[in-house]
Amino acid sequence: AVVSTQSTGKLLEVVKTGDTSAETLSTLTSFGKKLGKVTVECSDTPGFIVNRLLVPNLAEAIKMLERGVASAQDIDTAMKLGAGHPMGPLQLADYVGLDTCCFILEGWSQKYPDVELFKTPETLKKLVAEGKLGNKTGEGFYKH
């Protein structure tokens, strides 16, 4: 079993593999609850639950920007107001770190080359190569 959590987050992802016993799963779930976390269980998949949904979403927002569908600001505003997200996907990518997003996508696309959701957008590669990593460097999709 694998446990995925953020040190300040309320969530604990308990990931079960084919070798995870019911006892181990129960122990990890109980441990998470003792830490005050909400626990969720999932099978072993790239990114578990949160990042498996989040990172491809960030990548698709970047691809929309590349295709000229909308501006960065309009993509972020649409997701904040239309989907109730506290920040837009491009703002979130800057917050997470563009290098981190790129690293995750590159790893997934190397391991799963036929999964289109895991393809790294060219704009992301370019920004990282230019040292524009988001909040940590003061510039990414936005200037901070």
Side-chain angles (χ1 to χ4, degrees), residues 4-141:
S4 173
T5 185
Q6 300 172 11
S7 60
T8 59
K10 297 176 183 176
L11 178 68
L12 179 96
E13 294 180 81
V14 179
V15 182
K16 52 189 171 187
T17 70
D19 297 326
T20 305
S21 69
E23 180 184 355
T24 299
L25 197 59
S26 176
T27 299
L28 289 172
T29 300
S30 295
F31 176 69
K33 290 178 181 175
K34 286 179 186 172
L35 293 175
K37 307 280 186 179
V38 173
T39 61
V40 295
E41 295 178 14
C42 73
S43 21
D44 194 9
T45 186
F48 311 133
I49 297 172
V50 173
N51 286 327
R52 175 65 186 261
L53 291 169
L54 178 66
V55 175
N57 175 262
L58 302 180
E60 182 57 25
I62 298 166
K63 292 172 189 174
M64 289 178 72
L65 184 65
E66 289 175 343
R67 292 189 301 266
V69 172
S71 69
Q73 185 65 44
D74 286 346
I75 290 168
D76 284 340
T77 298
M79 290 307 291
K80 288 189 286 189
L81 299 179
H85 292 191
M87 68 176 73
L90 300 171
Q91 290 170 310
L92 183 55
D94 272 0
Y95 177 79
V96 167
L98 301 185
D99 54 335
T100 301
C101 295
C102 192
F103 179 79
I104 292 167
L105 286 165
E106 290 289 327
W108 289 357
S109 65
Q110 285 175 10
K111 188 165 184 177
Y112 304 97
D114 297 329
V115 179
E116 189 62 34
L117 285 174
F118 297 165
K119 302 283 187 229
T120 308
E122 291 302 316
T123 300
L124 181 58
K125 293 178 191 178
K126 179 179 179 286
L127 288 169
V128 170
E130 293 172 354
K132 297 175 181 176
L133 309 180
N135 293 15
K136 63 178 109 180
T137 61
E139 186 174 359
F141 289 102

